[in-house]
Each structure stands twice: as C-alpha cells, then as structure tokens.
Amino acid sequence: MTQSVNTESLSLEELSDAYERANRFHRVTEHLAGALTPQQVLDVILTEGLRAAEARAGAIGLVTDDGKAIELLAQSGYRGDVFEKYGRFSVDADLPMSHVARTGEPLFLESRAERNKLFPTLEGQGEDGHAIAVLPLALEGRLLGVIALSFGENMSFSEERRRMKVTLARQAAQALERARLYAAEQTARQRLAFMAEASELLSSSLDYEQTLKQVAQLAVPRLADWCAIDMVMPNGEIQRLAVAHEDPEKVRWAYELQERYPPDPDDPHGVAQVIRSGQPEFFPDLPEELLEELIGDDDELRRIVDELGLRASICVPLSARGRTLGALTLIAAEKHPVFDQADFELAVELARRAGIAVDNSRLFQEAEKGANAARALAYVADGVVLLDRAGFVRHWNPAVALIMGVDEEEALGLRVEAVVPAWDSLSSHVPLVRPGEAIGRPVTVPMVAQGRELWVSASGVDFGEGTVYALRDVTDERALEKTRSDFVATASHELRTPLAAIYGAVRTLRREDLELSAEDNATFLEIMEAESLRLAQIVDQILVAGQIDADAVDFDLETCDPVELAEGVLESAALHLPDGISLHIDKKGTRPIICDANKLRQVLVNLVDNAIKYSPEGGDVEIRLDAHNGECLIQIADEGLGIPSSERERIFEKFYRLDPHQTRGVGGTGLGLYICRELVERMNGRLEVESEPGKGSRFTVRLPAGV
Amino acid sequence: MLVIDDERSIRMLCRINLAASGMEVLEAEDGTNGIELARKERPDLILLDVMMPGIDGWEVARRLARDEETSDIPIVFLTARVGLEDRQLGEQVGGVGYVVKPFDPVEIGRVIESVLTRLERGEREQLRREMTHGPEERT
C-alpha cells in the first residue's frame, strides 16, 4: 500500500491518529484479502471498513445488470426500515448514491446542510446523520455499485481522509468483484461436477427409469428445490416418473397433489405444453398472473401454491431423434435462488443427455427383445414356420429345418410347396385359428419329407398377414406307441397259449362221456403243471422288465460256482426238450464268479430257452465255461436260425422281437434278452452275441471272476 | 382231421376230444410236416396254428391253397392271435374258420362238423365273411 501522508503540517496527535487510521486501514485490507464470498466481503466492509473510515453507518448498493437501478445489498448502522425505503431505486433518482452512480465520482458532504442543498428532497430525512461520504465501487472504469458512509457529526474531510476512503472503496470493489468471480466459478464448477455426475448416472445402467429417478434426486437441492421428471407413455398419457425434494415428506405430498390435480394434456403451460410443443419453458420469475390463472377460484389450490412458495421454474423437454419423450422440471421455491440463464442452459443440457439415455435404453430394450425372440425361435424344440399371405416362407427355424431336412437358407423366400412338396398333406389337416383363439389339440399327421416318412404334430395360427405353424416330429413317439401296442398284443398271445393248454386239459379231464387212460390222465396233469409254471414265468418277465425300468431290482452279489448253475439250468431244460435238440456242457476252464445266483440263473434259463426255441430243425445246444483276464465267460451256443447282422444289437432292445411280424412263428414277449442284458450289466458284466444266419448263434455272458 | 400245432398239449387235446367225436386225427408239429401230411393223407379239414417255428400258419395256408392236391381242404385257424388284422389275414389266405385260444376242446368236434355241414350246403363265402366278425365261433 502506498500512502503518502504530509507529515510536515501535522501535529504529533494528528500524526498518531493518522497512524492509527493507517493501521485500521491495513486491517481492512487484510480482512478483505481473506474474504471469499460476496457476503464475507460485505461483512468486512461494514465492520472493519466502517471502523477504518470512522463512520457510524454504511450501506452498499449494486448497480443492476441493466444499469438502470441500484439494489441495496447490505447496511449497517442505519434504521431498520432503510431496505423498505431504499431497497431498490433508480440511478436517475435525486439521491446521493444515484448521483455517484451517474457521475462515477466520490461525493463528500461535510454537513446535513450541504446535503440538503444538493438534494433538497432529502430535507427532513435522516436527520440523525451528519456528514456523509458516497463512493463509487468501480473497477477499471466499470461501475459495480456505490458505498455510502454516514458519520455521527459534521466532518471536514481532509485530503488524506478522502484519499483513504477512495482507496477503501477501490479495495472493496476489487474484493467484491473477486468474490463474485469466485462465486461464479464455484457455481460453474458445481454445475460441471453435477453434469459429470449426472452423465455418469445416465450411462451407468440401461434401466432408465431408475437412473432418471437418481438424476432427479441429484438435482436437489443443488440445482433447484424441486425436480420432477415426466414421461410420455406409449398411450400418450403423461406419467410422473420422479419427484425429488430434500424433504421426503414433501415428495409424498407432491404425489398426493398429483393425484388430486392430474395433469391435463391440454394445459397451456408447464409439462403438458412443453411435451406437446417440444419447446422449453423458462420463468426466471413466475409471473403473478400465471399463478392466478393456474389457481383460478380454487381456494385449496391457492393455499397449496402459497405454501409451495413457487418463485421460478424451468421446464425442458427430454427428446431424442426429433421425438419428445418427456420433460424435466426444476422449481425454485423456499430455498433456492431464482434461476438465471446459466441454470436454464444447464437444465437444457441435462434434459438433452437424459433424452439420449432414455432413447438408448429403449433402443437397446427393443433390440434385446428382438434378439431374445430370435434366440427363442432358434433354440425352441418345436419347428416354427412363418408363411406370408402368398404362401412364401418368411421364417424357418432350425428345429423345422431338422424335421423337414431342409436348411433355412434353402427355404427362405420360396413357396412352401417348393420347399416341402408334401406340405399340403400336412396343412390340409391342420385347422387354422385366429390369434387368441384356443388351438386345441395339435393334429398328428403322417407325411413324407426328403424321402423320410414321418409323423408330425402340428398347429397353426392365421394372424392376418400370414400364417405361423408350430411343428413337432413325433415319429419316435409313434414308433414307441406302436411297439407298446405290439407288446400288449404279444403279451396277450403269450398268455393265451399256456392258458389254452390248461383250460383245454381241465375241460377234457372233466368230460364225463370220456374214459381217459391212466397215461393220458397223467399227461394232462403234467401239462397243467408245466403250463402254469410257464404262465408264471411270462408274468414274471413282464414284472421284471417293469422293475428294471423303475430301477427297483435288488442284487445280492456273492461268490458262486458257475458250473453248478449251468448244470442246474440244463437239467431243467432237459425236462421238456423238443425232439432233435441235444444239450451239452463244456467245463474246460472255470472259476468262481461274483454275481447274484438267482439273477444269473434267470439269464441262463432265458438264453438256453432261446437257443432251443430258435433251433426249429434241432441241433446241439451247448454251455461252455471259460475264464481269462479276471473274467468268467459263460457261452450259450446253438446251431439254429441265427441272427442277421443288422438285428444283432436291436435284439437287446425292449419289446424288440427278432421278427416283429412273427412270420417265423417263434413266440416271445420281446423282453427276454432285454432283461438278460440289463441284469448282467447290473452285475458288472456284459452280454454279447455272435451269429451267422442259418448256422446258429453264440451268446456270451462275461462276469467278474471271484477270488 | 389234421392238427398242425407246435404245442404238444394242443395236439393232444384235439386228438383225444376229436376221437371221442368219432374223428380220426393226424398230427403235425410244424408247417413243413403238416403240408406233407396233408398232401399224403388229404384230410377232410385242417386245424392250423399260426405261430410256429419254421414256416408259420399263414404261409402253410398259402402253400396248401397253391397246391392242387390240397387247395380244396378246408382250413380252420386255431390261434392265440386275436387282432382284427389277424382274422382278415386268415380270411385272405383262404381259411373258413377262426378259433381263438384258449378254446373248449370238448366243443371243437361240433365246430368242425358245423363247418363241414355248411360247406356242403355251399355256405363257404358266408363262413369266410364270419371269420372277421369276431368271436362268435369261439367255443
């Protein structure tokens, strides 16, 4: 600070006062340097500044942006009603502050009389004051405002005092400007930070409803007292997505209010208007008339609006790609200062980003929906065919490609009859329903595709622009069904044969007109006994097969002697051996085996029975026992019909019979070999077959050898 | 009479009960022997099983029908096969009767006599039609 004081003409006391003033002045400068906000600057000027200037009271007014008025910002030492009287006044007014604002020059009035002379209108006012000094707050020729200082007595302003006050005013102006810039920078920084945070939120998730709610929450109280987001629903209705206010109680109240006064899409102002026009609406000061128009005669609403204390509002459209998706509303009410142009621009930018986020999210959802539908069609087990009105294939999913044996690329865009010539044999049986109608049972029809005969279960829907068919290949199910009904027929036949012998024998024995020889009598009894056992065996087989299917067979694994078992089986076979068959056993290598003896006996009985049954011309049936590599082999060989190579594995399938049409006439349930293989495998063994048609077959049971 | 059936018990039932009705009974345990016996002995009627090792009953009937020596011998099927398609096949291959197992051997003599009487009356076609009509021949 350079301050030149003319010490030559001053007394020691005066010198000491000047020194004291310089000190006070120095303190003001220090305090101003430490004041960051405009309020702090004002405080320093009106405390330390007044003290340094030896003033009783002071007031600071700023020139409004338009330069036409002075707005009083702060005062100290004046009467309480000064704001009411001089809160805002014109620069053209006949007042000392206006005068300084007009001239830009400091004004020193050393007494009330001097004041009244210059400003006659003030006569009779402020009579408790005496001298006043009014100084411009100017910076590089730009007038910011005016500071007025009032003194408790008439003053003679020495040059040094004047200079000091001018300097004080200049420093105040600098500090004020710096604080304003700082505040503006703070605000800008906050806006930037807000925008960054909001942008991050918007891009954080594709759930735009959630992110918009968070953005609204983020906006209060930083950006406004209230923030609301409304969206346009597909049906055109406007739905409030979010309302945010610092106080959750007020948010609840706002929703209640929304219920009571639902938005009218034809409202001339506000959300509806902004959504309709796509143009933002900005009320830096909500005009009284607008509120009056909104309230009308509704006293309740008047009370609510008064309570809200609406001061300013910004409503901007959320839009993307030329479509308005909703609106963002900011309201300044009880706390937030009224909005300025920068607030409005921020709101516009926020709404623009939100609109893009909503649009992206919707586009993604659409795309995902489409992708999911495509995925469903690609992986669904049913064939799906879409035909347009003219019968051209528009969709042909992988399942239908598999069923029909025609790839998608070969089918798309062609007439369906060109893709599947037998299509008509299918579609003519499928009743088409309209969308939403009950489809009923799909129709099962036989057809030929790519030379393959198949059964297809189908349903169809005619949706106006075309027809969609759902197809399923049920050939295997049909085959299984056929096999089952064949099995029932076979089982019935198998049961009827022994029954015929038993029933016939009983009927004959009871004949009173017939005297049977003792030998015939005995034979009939034998027949009844043997056929009853056979009947029981067939029933057993059916049961065992059922148990195997249900996995309900228990095995009692133990070490047993295969020779003993094999001999036992051959002995019982010998009891009813057809002519021309001879039974042998070859025990060249034997070892104990680990198995369930009863189950293995069942297997061997079945294999020996088969060997005999399939040797209609007679021949040898031999059981050979052998062992090597920790395995015990039991082979049953015959010299009978043999098995064609194509059938060699199928004979082990359930219900499969070597000759399904039974033209060779050999009966069976189709269960014997199925049961044999299942039992052997469950005893940790294997059952295999070798055969030469016309020369015989050899079945080999391999089981783990015991110690 | 000739009974062709691989089941010894069925042959025996037929032999004993038909003998009681005063009929002489020949037996064959399979199709090949049955055809040979039919050619040689020219029985008045053949009771024929369907499911037999070697050639089955349907084939036996076809061969008998093709052979001038045996084509006029009436065939009555004696079988455990009960499906309609089996009855139709029986009619197709030339049968005049269809007896389903289990059957009453005591009545089998009367069934044969009835078939022979009606054949003499020229009711062959009627008999054949009745084959597919279900179980009324069941004794």
Side-chain angles (χ1 to χ4, degrees):
Chain A
M1 169 174 42
T2 55
Q3 194 177 21
S4 101
V5 177
N6 187 354
T7 52
E8 283 159 49
S9 60
L10 296 173
S11 68
L12 191 66
E13 197 181 332
E14 280 171 330
L15 207 62
S16 152
D17 279 356
Y19 178 73
E20 185 58 30
R21 278 199 298 278
N23 254 347
R24 283 202 294 266
F25 184 73
H26 192 70
R27 211 159 46 239
V28 177
T29 310
E30 271 180 10
H31 275 97
L32 280 178
L36 275 180
T37 66
Q39 190 57 50
Q40 284 170 334
V41 170
L42 293 175
D43 284 348
V44 169
I45 297 169
L46 291 177
T47 52
E48 300 297 330
L50 286 192
R51 207 170 300 149
E54 297 160 301
R56 185 184 59 77
I60 299 166
L62 289 188
V63 178
T64 54
D65 288 343
D66 55 11
K68 286 181 179 164
I70 294 171
E71 204 164 18
L72 206 58
L73 273 193
Q75 67 93 14
S76 172
Y78 289 110
R79 290 220 317 250
D81 62 354
V82 68
F83 269 106
E84 271 167 49
K85 274 184 168 168
Y86 300 112
R88 186 186 171 103
F89 50 89
S90 169
V91 288
D92 297 325
D94 198 13
L95 291 168
M97 283 175 92
S98 298
H99 175 84
V100 170
R102 286 196 299 275
T103 62
E105 295 297 324
L107 179 68
F108 295 94
L109 302 170
E110 301 192 326
S111 67
R112 200 180 308 142
E114 200 177 337
R115 184 198 76 182
N116 291 349
K117 204 169 81 194
L118 258 170
F119 303 99
T121 54
L122 285 181
E123 199 163 337
Q125 284 190 34
E127 295 305 312
D128 50 348
H130 297 271
I132 56 172
V134 184
L135 307 148
L137 295 171
L139 212 62
E140 291 159 7
R142 189 161 52 88
L143 186 76
L144 304 179
V146 181
I147 179 167
L149 302 168
S150 292
F151 301 85
E153 53 199 13
N154 290 341
M155 298 279 284
S156 155
F157 293 109
S158 67
E159 186 59 25
E160 177 252 323
R161 279 199 160 99
R162 288 184 185 215
R163 248 200 331 264
M164 199 211 84
K165 287 175 180 59
V166 170
T167 307
L168 177 72
R170 194 171 59 237
Q171 293 209 345
Q174 276 170 353
L176 214 51
E177 178 67 359
R178 199 182 60 235
R180 280 220 298 205
L181 285 175
Y182 177 76
E185 192 198 299
Q186 281 295 100
T187 313
R189 197 194 301 268
Q190 273 175 15
R191 285 188 176 130
L192 272 178
F194 171 83
M195 196 53 85
E197 221 174 310
S199 300
E200 195 176 328
L201 263 181
L202 287 171
S203 60
S204 67
S205 156
L206 283 164
D207 179 359
Y208 72 83
E209 296 198 355
Q210 197 51 42
T211 50
L212 287 185
K213 280 178 187 166
Q214 289 171 327
V215 165
Q217 210 59 51
L218 196 65
V220 296
R222 275 194 269 180
L223 232 56
D225 290 317
W226 291 91
C227 178
I229 295 177
D230 295 87
M231 300 301 293
V232 184
M233 294 292 106
N235 62 2
E237 257 177 48
I238 296 171
Q239 198 179 71
R240 181 139 291 180
L241 179 67
V243 176
H245 187 280
E246 248 187 319
D247 180 358
E249 196 55 48
K250 289 211 166 180
V251 172
R252 255 196 300 283
W253 176 71
Y255 274 112
E256 278 170 27
L257 206 62
Q258 174 92 3
E259 290 266 294
R260 200 122 44 100
Y261 299 98
D264 178 352
D266 297 323
D267 276 344
H269 300 287
V271 172
Q273 148 71 11
V274 167
I275 286 176
R276 249 191 349 262
S277 67
Q279 295 301 316
E281 200 179 67
F282 178 26
F283 294 111
D285 277 300
L286 277 171
E288 200 64 33
E289 317 85 71
L290 183 68
L291 288 177
E292 284 301 322
E293 185 189 320
L294 178 76
I295 294 165
D297 297 332
D298 193 333
D299 288 340
E300 167 81 5
L301 193 57
R302 180 177 304 279
R303 202 182 54 72
I304 292 167
V305 170
D306 284 349
E307 197 180 322
L308 270 171
L310 305 174
R311 289 164 58 214
S313 78
I314 296 173
C315 186
V316 283
L318 301 184
S319 47
R321 294 185 293 139
R323 279 188 315 135
T324 303
L325 312 171
L328 171 90
T329 309
L330 296 175
I331 289 175
E334 66 275 18
K335 270 190 185 165
H336 199 277
V338 294
F339 299 128
D340 58 18
Q341 187 63 24
D343 290 320
F344 174 67
E345 278 160 19
L346 180 71
V348 170
E349 178 61 16
L350 178 62
R352 190 185 68 83
R353 294 189 188 194
I356 291 170
V358 170
D359 192 44
N360 278 345
S361 147
R362 287 186 178 167
L363 281 176
F364 182 80
Q365 279 168 8
E366 292 274 300
E368 197 178 40
K369 224 162 90 179
N372 282 338
R375 225 171 285 153
L377 280 174
Y379 294 116
V380 70
D382 286 7
V384 177
V385 177
L386 176 69
L387 303 182
D388 63 17
R389 286 240 62 82
F392 287 90
V393 176
R394 294 296 168 210
H395 192 87
W396 190 262
N397 77 343
V400 82
L402 208 62
I403 295 171
M404 296 301 178
V406 180
D407 284 346
E408 185 188 8
E409 304 84 73
E410 299 168 52
L412 283 184
L414 294 180
R415 288 190 62 83
V416 68
E417 290 82 4
V419 179
V420 179
W423 180 261
D424 189 51
S425 67
L426 173 78
S427 59
S428 60
H429 290 99
V430 180
L432 292 178
V433 299
R434 306 291 302 178
E437 279 176 12
I439 284 188
R441 280 171 65 95
V443 183
T444 301
V445 282
M447 68 179 297
V448 178
Q450 299 287 299
R452 192 167 79 95
E453 282 179 35
L454 37 103
W455 286 85
V456 175
S457 161
S459 59
V461 176
D462 179 350
F463 58 93
E465 293 160 52
T467 323
V468 60
Y469 287 93
L471 311 177
R472 175 170 287 192
D473 184 349
V474 293
T475 312
D476 289 349
E477 283 97 320
R478 289 288 295 204
L480 192 65
E481 218 172 278
K482 178 78 167 57
T483 314
R484 279 216 178 113
S485 66
D486 285 354
F487 170 68
V488 171
T490 308
S492 149
H493 176 269
E494 285 301 294
L495 293 169
R496 282 167 181 279
T497 301
L499 216 53
I502 298 166
Y503 178 66
V506 172
R507 290 287 296 156
T508 309
L509 285 171
R510 287 186 52 165
R511 245 184 117 148
E512 286 173 4
D513 60 342
L514 199 62
E515 193 69 32
L516 287 174
S517 69
E519 194 191 335
D520 284 346
N521 246 324
T523 308
F524 277 128
L525 290 174
E526 263 170 42
I527 287 172
M528 286 162 66
E529 188 181 12
E531 296 294 338
S532 299
L533 289 175
R534 181 173 161 197
L535 207 51
Q537 195 194 342
I538 295 164
V539 172
D540 271 355
Q541 269 195 356
I542 294 171
L543 281 177
V544 170
Q547 280 175 345
I548 286 173
D549 285 352
D551 216 0
V553 188
D554 290 327
F555 289 87
D556 189 6
L557 296 183
E558 56 188 355
T559 306
C560 46
D561 179 7
V563 179
E564 203 179 300
L565 267 172
E567 284 175 342
V569 169
L570 288 183
E571 271 167 36
S572 28
L575 289 179
H576 41 83
L577 199 62
D579 296 342
I581 302 273
S582 55
L583 301 172
H584 305 275
I585 186 162
D586 176 351
K587 305 176 276 189
K588 56 182 166 188
T590 65
R591 282 179 69 176
I593 48 175
I594 303 194
C595 68
D596 180 318
N598 281 325
K599 304 286 189 307
L600 181 57
R601 185 179 297 112
Q602 237 171 301
V603 171
L604 295 183
V605 165
N606 208 305
L607 293 176
V608 169
D609 276 357
N610 273 354
I612 296 169
K613 198 150 61 172
Y614 287 94
S615 300
E617 310 293 336
D620 286 350
V621 170
E622 186 180 49
I623 298 189
R624 245 170 268 161
L625 296 162
D626 206 349
H628 52 80
N629 295 339
E631 270 187 338
C632 186
L633 276 61
I634 306 172
Q635 296 184 316
I636 294 91
D638 64 56
E639 301 173 338
L641 300 169
I643 305 156
S645 59
S646 59
E647 317 268 306
R648 249 164 247 166
E649 270 310 301
R650 295 206 62 195
I651 54 173
F652 296 107
E653 286 173 19
K654 189 162 59 163
F655 301 136
Y656 187 78
R657 306 193 59 250
L658 190 53
D659 190 335
H661 300 295
Q662 298 172 332
T663 45
R664 286 212 186 83
V666 176
T669 50
L671 288 172
L673 287 175
Y674 168 72
I675 291 172
C676 286
R677 177 169 267 190
E678 291 292 323
L679 291 181
V680 170
E681 284 181 356
R682 278 158 214 234
M683 292 189 286
N684 309 313
R686 277 181 295 155
L687 175 59
E688 291 153 0
V689 65
E690 301 152 85
S691 178
E692 198 175 326
K695 297 214 169 150
S697 311
R698 182 167 63 188
F699 286 82
T700 304
V701 179
R702 295 169 184 272
L703 283 166
V707 266
Chain B
M1 301 302 121
L2 168 61
V3 182
I4 308 176
D5 198 312
D6 58 321
E7 295 277 332
R8 190 166 63 101
S9 52
I10 301 296
R11 296 200 302 272
M12 185 176 167
L13 286 170
C14 292
R15 184 183 71 233
I16 289 175
N17 287 288
L18 290 179
S21 307
M23 297 179 190
E24 190 188 330
V25 179
L26 300 168
E27 294 172 48
E29 60 177 24
D30 62 37
T32 316
N33 288 327
I35 291 166
E36 204 179 310
L37 216 53
R39 287 173 59 97
K40 207 157 72 191
E41 302 293 337
R42 301 182 53 83
D44 296 330
L45 184 140
I46 297 173
L47 281 174
L48 179 56
D49 182 24
V50 173
M51 312 239 307
M52 292 180 290
I55 52 172
D56 67 16
W58 311 131
E59 186 56 26
V60 172
R62 283 189 205 101
R63 292 193 191 176
L64 289 173
R66 277 203 295 269
D67 190 337
E68 272 183 22
E69 296 285 309
T70 53
S71 60
D72 56 347
I73 305 172
I75 294 170
V76 171
F77 287 103
L78 181 59
T79 177
R81 296 194 63 106
V82 293
L84 178 63
E85 58 274 33
D86 294 315
R87 292 171 173 279
Q88 286 164 345
L89 196 55
E91 189 210 328
Q92 253 175 51
V93 298
V96 291
Y98 201 94
V99 176
V100 165
K101 292 176 186 175
F103 64 103
D104 187 351
V106 180
E107 293 297 319
I108 195 75
R110 256 194 285 279
V111 171
I112 289 172
E113 272 165 14
S114 151
V115 167
L116 290 175
T117 312
R118 291 179 64 189
L119 280 175
E120 266 173 43
R121 275 195 240 137
E123 294 178 19
R124 187 183 179 90
E125 287 313 306
Q126 204 178 329
L127 278 167
R128 284 164 56 79
R129 268 201 304 280
E130 283 171 15
M131 280 180 71
T132 54
H133 286 174
E136 64 268 11
E137 315 90 320
R138 190 163 166 180
T139 55

